[in-house]
Amino acid sequence: MIEFRQNNDSEVETIAAAIARFETALQAQHPHNLVIDMRMNGGGDMTTTRAFMERLPSLVPGRIFVLTSPWTFSAAIAATGYVKQAAPDRVTIVGEALGDRLVFFAEGRNVELPHSHVVLRYSTERHDFTTGCRPYTDCNAYIARYPLTVESLAPDIEAAWTIDAYAAGHDPEWRLLRRRSIMLLSRGLSHGHDARWSRVYAERPVSWPARLWSFLMLWTAPNRRR
C-alpha cells in the first residue's frame, strides 16, 4: 500500500525522495496488486506525482485500487486520473466521490478590497480532466502539456468512511477489500502472505493533531454523523 497525504514536500522528506523509495520497494517486492490511499490528500503540486502515477501500471502487473474520499482534492484528483488513464481496465476506485468535479478552475491571483482590506482570491486557470483541455485556451499549462482524459473517477466500489467507523477504529474500504479476498497486509496486522502480494506502506507516524484533524473532518462532513 502507498499512501499520499499531500502532493507537496513534507518537513521530513521531499515527495521526490518518497517516490524514489516507493519505486525501489515495488521493484524489490514485486507486488501483484497495489492499493493507493488518496483519501486524506487535499492536493498540492500535481507535477510531483504525474510521472510516477503513469508508470505504476508497468510496476504492478495486477490490479491497482485507489481509495478516495470527499477530501481527495485538486492535485490528488489529477494523480488519481493519471493512473486511471494509464490503465483504465486495471484501476479500480474504491470509497467515496472525490472532493471536486473533473472540470474546475484553480491557480489565480489575490485582490485586496480598497476599504475593508479583505483579501480575496479568484481562480483563472481551467482544469478539464474530461477533454484534456484540448478545446480551450484558458487551461492550466501543465494539463495542456500532459492531457488528462477520463470519463469518470466515480467509485467503482462504494464504501463510506463514517464517523462511527472512525470512532470504532474500523476502516470500511479496507474491510471491503479484504472481504473480496485481496491478499494484502492491512495496517498494523501481520499475516502470512505470498511475496507477490507484499505491501508497500510508506507513512510517517501520525501525530495527535493530525488524528484530531481527520476526526473533525469526518464529524463535520454532511450526512456522515450516523
Side-chain angles (χ1 to χ4, degrees):
M1 173 179 173
I2 294 174
E3 180 174 16
F4 282 104
R5 291 200 169 188
Q6 61 189 42
N7 268 53
N8 287 315
D9 297 342
S10 73
E11 65 272 17
V12 297
E13 185 178 36
T14 66
I15 195 166
I19 287 174
R21 200 156 45 78
F22 298 158
E23 289 206 53
T24 298
L26 288 170
Q27 292 166 357
Q29 297 181 28
H30 304 293
H32 186 74
N33 292 344
L34 181 69
V35 173
I36 306 174
D37 193 343
M38 305 291 279
R39 288 176 294 180
M40 290 297 173
N41 189 334
D45 183 353
M46 65 181 169
T47 70
T48 59
T49 54
R50 175 198 59 81
F52 175 65
M53 289 301 195
E54 290 182 329
R55 286 196 303 272
L56 263 180
S58 67
L59 301 171
V60 179
R63 299 206 65 82
I64 298 173
F65 298 88
V66 184
L67 307 185
T68 62
S69 80
W71 306 285
T72 306
F73 198 72
S74 191
I77 297 176
T80 302
Y82 279 120
V83 70
K84 181 71 172 180
Q85 178 176 256
D89 295 332
R90 292 199 288 123
V91 173
T92 300
I93 298 177
V94 180
E96 300 176 85
L98 301 166
D100 206 344
R101 296 165 294 181
L102 297 185
V103 181
F104 59 89
F105 279 79
E107 288 82 34
R109 301 178 180 86
N110 294 336
V111 59
E112 182 178 330
L113 300 183
H115 300 294
S116 66
H117 301 292
V118 171
V119 177
L120 302 178
R121 183 169 180 82
Y122 61 96
S123 299
T124 60
E125 297 185 14
R126 184 191 301 267
H127 293 244
D128 187 341
F129 301 156
T130 63
T131 68
C133 266
R134 294 177 180 89
Y136 307 104
T137 59
D138 59 349
C139 286
N140 173 272
Y142 195 80
I143 292 296
R145 183 178 180 185
Y146 300 101
L148 173 53
T149 305
V150 291
E151 291 185 7
S152 173
L153 292 178
D156 301 297
I157 303 172
E158 294 186 358
W161 195 17
T162 64
I163 185 62
D164 292 327
Y166 183 88
H170 298 156
D171 190 327
E173 286 93 333
W174 269 109
R175 282 190 164 190
L176 188 151
L177 291 177
R178 293 177 68 195
R179 280 202 306 269
R180 289 173 178 258
S181 300
I182 298 168
M183 299 177 63
L184 293 166
L185 293 180
S186 84
R187 289 187 180 88
L189 299 179
S190 179
H191 298 292
H193 63 287
D194 187 287
R196 296 181 311 145
W197 302 88
S198 297
R199 178 182 75 164
V200 179
Y201 184 55
E203 176 189 12
R204 57 192 176 87
V206 183
S207 65
W208 278 110
R211 291 180 184 274
L212 177 60
W213 178 245
S214 299
F215 178 85
L216 290 174
M217 286 197 294
L218 286 167
W219 180 256
T220 57
N223 304 317
R224 299 273 160 71
R225 295 198 176 190
R226 288 287 181 264

mmCIF file of all heavy atoms in Angstrom, residues 14 26 37 60 65 75 79 87 91 98 102 105 114 141-142 146 174-175 179 204 223:
data_model
loop_
_atom_site.group_PDB
_atom_site.id
_atom_site.type_symbol
_atom_site.label_atom_id
_atom_site.label_comp_id
_atom_site.label_asym_id
_atom_site.label_seq_id
_atom_site.Cartn_x
_atom_site.Cartn_y
_atom_site.Cartn_z
ATOM 1 N N THR A 14 11.284 15.031 0.972
ATOM 2 C CA THR A 14 10.705 15.566 -0.253
ATOM 3 C C THR A 14 9.838 14.490 -0.897
ATOM 4 O O THR A 14 10.051 13.284 -0.705
ATOM 5 C CB THR A 14 11.786 15.996 -1.249
ATOM 6 O OG1 THR A 14 12.505 14.828 -1.697
ATOM 7 C CG2 THR A 14 12.754 16.989 -0.613
ATOM 8 N N LEU A 26 8.782 -1.316 -4.705
ATOM 9 C CA LEU A 26 7.971 -2.049 -5.672
ATOM 10 C C LEU A 26 8.833 -2.974 -6.526
ATOM 11 O O LEU A 26 8.471 -4.125 -6.792
ATOM 12 C CB LEU A 26 7.210 -1.069 -6.566
ATOM 13 C CG LEU A 26 6.048 -0.320 -5.921
ATOM 14 C CD1 LEU A 26 5.553 0.789 -6.838
ATOM 15 C CD2 LEU A 26 4.911 -1.265 -5.579
ATOM 16 N N ASP A 37 -3.719 4.897 -1.293
ATOM 17 C CA ASP A 37 -4.660 5.603 -0.415
ATOM 18 C C ASP A 37 -4.533 7.106 -0.642
ATOM 19 O O ASP A 37 -3.537 7.722 -0.286
ATOM 20 C CB ASP A 37 -4.376 5.260 1.044
ATOM 21 C CG ASP A 37 -5.501 5.704 1.975
ATOM 22 O OD1 ASP A 37 -6.330 6.537 1.551
ATOM 23 O OD2 ASP A 37 -5.534 5.220 3.124
ATOM 24 N N VAL A 60 3.266 -2.765 -11.497
ATOM 25 C CA VAL A 60 2.307 -3.640 -10.823
ATOM 26 C C VAL A 60 1.498 -4.366 -11.890
ATOM 27 O O VAL A 60 0.685 -3.746 -12.583
ATOM 28 C CB VAL A 60 1.369 -2.824 -9.909
ATOM 29 C CG1 VAL A 60 0.369 -3.740 -9.225
ATOM 30 C CG2 VAL A 60 2.167 -2.025 -8.891
ATOM 31 N N PHE A 65 -5.840 -0.508 -6.807
ATOM 32 C CA PHE A 65 -7.022 0.010 -6.138
ATOM 33 C C PHE A 65 -6.701 1.385 -5.558
ATOM 34 O O PHE A 65 -5.752 1.522 -4.783
ATOM 35 C CB PHE A 65 -7.474 -0.945 -5.025
ATOM 36 C CG PHE A 65 -7.860 -2.308 -5.540
ATOM 37 C CD1 PHE A 65 -6.904 -3.304 -5.671
ATOM 38 C CD2 PHE A 65 -9.164 -2.585 -5.896
ATOM 39 C CE1 PHE A 65 -7.243 -4.563 -6.146
ATOM 40 C CE2 PHE A 65 -9.522 -3.848 -6.378
ATOM 41 C CZ PHE A 65 -8.565 -4.833 -6.503
ATOM 42 N N ALA A 75 -4.844 18.481 -6.769
ATOM 43 C CA ALA A 75 -3.777 17.684 -7.372
ATOM 44 C C ALA A 75 -3.953 16.193 -7.108
ATOM 45 O O ALA A 75 -3.485 15.359 -7.894
ATOM 46 C CB ALA A 75 -2.415 18.141 -6.844
ATOM 47 N N ALA A 79 -3.783 13.169 -9.809
ATOM 48 C CA ALA A 79 -2.973 11.961 -9.625
ATOM 49 C C ALA A 79 -3.823 10.709 -9.830
ATOM 50 O O ALA A 79 -3.396 9.748 -10.487
ATOM 51 C CB ALA A 79 -2.348 11.961 -8.238
ATOM 52 N N ALA A 87 -4.066 2.948 -17.099
ATOM 53 C CA ALA A 87 -4.506 1.541 -17.145
ATOM 54 C C ALA A 87 -5.979 1.470 -16.759
ATOM 55 O O ALA A 87 -6.324 0.973 -15.687
ATOM 56 C CB ALA A 87 -3.663 0.687 -16.213
ATOM 57 N N VAL A 91 -7.437 -0.344 -13.091
ATOM 58 C CA VAL A 91 -7.533 0.558 -11.950
ATOM 59 C C VAL A 91 -8.970 0.574 -11.447
ATOM 60 O O VAL A 91 -9.906 0.838 -12.198
ATOM 61 C CB VAL A 91 -7.085 1.981 -12.320
ATOM 62 C CG1 VAL A 91 -7.360 2.950 -11.165
ATOM 63 C CG2 VAL A 91 -5.597 1.993 -12.675
ATOM 64 N N LEU A 98 -15.046 11.982 -5.167
ATOM 65 C CA LEU A 98 -13.963 12.947 -4.985
ATOM 66 C C LEU A 98 -14.499 14.285 -4.470
ATOM 67 O O LEU A 98 -15.698 14.562 -4.529
ATOM 68 C CB LEU A 98 -13.241 13.172 -6.314
ATOM 69 C CG LEU A 98 -12.622 11.934 -6.969
ATOM 70 C CD1 LEU A 98 -12.257 12.242 -8.413
ATOM 71 C CD2 LEU A 98 -11.401 11.480 -6.192
ATOM 72 N N LEU A 102 -14.637 17.001 -12.324
ATOM 73 C CA LEU A 102 -13.499 16.794 -13.222
ATOM 74 C C LEU A 102 -13.200 18.023 -14.065
ATOM 75 O O LEU A 102 -12.224 18.038 -14.814
ATOM 76 C CB LEU A 102 -13.761 15.589 -14.140
ATOM 77 C CG LEU A 102 -13.923 14.242 -13.435
ATOM 78 C CD1 LEU A 102 -14.064 13.126 -14.462
ATOM 79 C CD2 LEU A 102 -12.745 13.965 -12.505
ATOM 80 N N PHE A 105 -11.795 25.327 -11.889
ATOM 81 C CA PHE A 105 -10.783 26.366 -12.050
ATOM 82 C C PHE A 105 -9.924 26.442 -10.796
ATOM 83 O O PHE A 105 -10.416 26.306 -9.674
ATOM 84 C CB PHE A 105 -11.444 27.728 -12.311
ATOM 85 C CG PHE A 105 -11.859 27.935 -13.737
ATOM 86 C CD1 PHE A 105 -13.027 27.349 -14.217
ATOM 87 C CD2 PHE A 105 -11.089 28.688 -14.605
ATOM 88 C CE1 PHE A 105 -13.416 27.516 -15.535
ATOM 89 C CE2 PHE A 105 -11.466 28.860 -15.924
ATOM 90 C CZ PHE A 105 -12.640 28.279 -16.395
ATOM 91 N N PRO A 114 -10.447 47.801 -1.412
ATOM 92 C CA PRO A 114 -9.829 49.085 -1.048
ATOM 93 C C PRO A 114 -10.219 49.622 0.321
ATOM 94 O O PRO A 114 -9.408 50.321 0.958
ATOM 95 C CB PRO A 114 -10.316 50.027 -2.158
ATOM 96 C CG PRO A 114 -11.555 49.385 -2.690
ATOM 97 C CD PRO A 114 -11.333 47.915 -2.572
ATOM 98 N N ALA A 141 -1.337 25.286 -17.897
ATOM 99 C CA ALA A 141 -0.323 24.937 -18.895
ATOM 100 C C ALA A 141 0.145 23.481 -18.748
ATOM 101 O O ALA A 141 0.433 22.817 -19.750
ATOM 102 C CB ALA A 141 0.858 25.884 -18.786
ATOM 103 N N TYR A 142 0.214 22.985 -17.523
ATOM 104 C CA TYR A 142 0.687 21.618 -17.317
ATOM 105 C C TYR A 142 -0.317 20.600 -17.848
ATOM 106 O O TYR A 142 0.058 19.600 -18.465
ATOM 107 C CB TYR A 142 0.953 21.382 -15.832
ATOM 108 C CG TYR A 142 1.773 20.146 -15.561
ATOM 109 C CD1 TYR A 142 3.158 20.161 -15.722
ATOM 110 C CD2 TYR A 142 1.168 18.953 -15.163
ATOM 111 C CE1 TYR A 142 3.914 19.022 -15.477
ATOM 112 C CE2 TYR A 142 1.914 17.817 -14.925
ATOM 113 C CZ TYR A 142 3.290 17.857 -15.083
ATOM 114 O OH TYR A 142 4.037 16.727 -14.847
ATOM 115 N N TYR A 146 0.382 17.869 -20.635
ATOM 116 C CA TYR A 146 0.195 16.448 -20.325
ATOM 117 C C TYR A 146 -1.310 16.192 -20.157
ATOM 118 O O TYR A 146 -1.813 16.105 -19.030
ATOM 119 C CB TYR A 146 0.938 16.054 -19.057
ATOM 120 C CG TYR A 146 2.429 16.273 -19.138
ATOM 121 C CD1 TYR A 146 3.025 17.387 -18.547
ATOM 122 C CD2 TYR A 146 3.253 15.378 -19.817
ATOM 123 C CE1 TYR A 146 4.397 17.600 -18.629
ATOM 124 C CE2 TYR A 146 4.621 15.574 -19.907
ATOM 125 C CZ TYR A 146 5.184 16.689 -19.306
ATOM 126 O OH TYR A 146 6.542 16.890 -19.381
ATOM 127 N N TRP A 174 -10.894 -0.824 3.681
ATOM 128 C CA TRP A 174 -10.010 -1.974 3.865
ATOM 129 C C TRP A 174 -10.804 -3.242 4.136
ATOM 130 O O TRP A 174 -10.484 -4.316 3.629
ATOM 131 C CB TRP A 174 -9.032 -1.708 5.016
ATOM 132 C CG TRP A 174 -7.764 -1.081 4.561
ATOM 133 C CD1 TRP A 174 -7.358 0.196 4.767
ATOM 134 C CD2 TRP A 174 -6.726 -1.706 3.794
ATOM 135 N NE1 TRP A 174 -6.140 0.415 4.173
ATOM 136 C CE2 TRP A 174 -5.727 -0.732 3.577
ATOM 137 C CE3 TRP A 174 -6.554 -2.987 3.269
ATOM 138 C CZ2 TRP A 174 -4.577 -1.000 2.863
ATOM 139 C CZ3 TRP A 174 -5.395 -3.265 2.553
ATOM 140 C CH2 TRP A 174 -4.422 -2.273 2.362
ATOM 141 N N ARG A 175 -11.842 -3.124 4.932
ATOM 142 C CA ARG A 175 -12.667 -4.306 5.214
ATOM 143 C C ARG A 175 -13.283 -4.848 3.931
ATOM 144 O O ARG A 175 -13.347 -6.055 3.719
ATOM 145 C CB ARG A 175 -13.768 -3.937 6.207
ATOM 146 C CG ARG A 175 -13.287 -3.847 7.647
ATOM 147 C CD ARG A 175 -14.445 -3.731 8.597
ATOM 148 N NE ARG A 175 -14.031 -4.009 9.956
ATOM 149 C CZ ARG A 175 -14.861 -4.174 10.976
ATOM 150 N NH1 ARG A 175 -16.169 -4.103 10.765
ATOM 151 N NH2 ARG A 175 -14.409 -4.406 12.187
ATOM 152 N N ARG A 179 -12.604 -8.492 2.339
ATOM 153 C CA ARG A 179 -13.711 -9.423 2.121
ATOM 154 C C ARG A 179 -13.709 -9.954 0.704
ATOM 155 O O ARG A 179 -14.179 -11.061 0.440
ATOM 156 C CB ARG A 179 -15.055 -8.729 2.402
ATOM 157 C CG ARG A 179 -15.424 -8.634 3.865
ATOM 158 C CD ARG A 179 -16.927 -8.453 4.035
ATOM 159 N NE ARG A 179 -17.441 -7.329 3.276
ATOM 160 C CZ ARG A 179 -17.550 -6.091 3.742
ATOM 161 N NH1 ARG A 179 -17.141 -5.829 4.973
ATOM 162 N NH2 ARG A 179 -18.050 -5.139 2.993
ATOM 163 N N ARG A 204 4.689 8.415 7.496
ATOM 164 C CA ARG A 204 5.335 8.801 8.736
ATOM 165 C C ARG A 204 4.320 8.713 9.869
ATOM 166 O O ARG A 204 3.123 8.793 9.636
ATOM 167 C CB ARG A 204 5.919 10.208 8.635
ATOM 168 C CG ARG A 204 4.964 11.297 8.270
ATOM 169 C CD ARG A 204 5.724 12.571 7.925
ATOM 170 N NE ARG A 204 4.856 13.627 7.487
ATOM 171 C CZ ARG A 204 4.258 14.489 8.286
ATOM 172 N NH1 ARG A 204 4.424 14.406 9.589
ATOM 173 N NH2 ARG A 204 3.491 15.447 7.793
ATOM 174 N N ASN A 223 -24.057 14.662 6.359
ATOM 175 C CA ASN A 223 -24.707 13.352 6.351
ATOM 176 C C ASN A 223 -23.796 12.224 6.784
ATOM 177 O O ASN A 223 -23.966 11.080 6.398
ATOM 178 C CB ASN A 223 -25.268 13.017 4.958
ATOM 179 C CG ASN A 223 -26.209 14.081 4.475
ATOM 180 O OD1 ASN A 223 -27.045 14.569 5.223
ATOM 181 N ND2 ASN A 223 -26.074 14.463 3.205
#
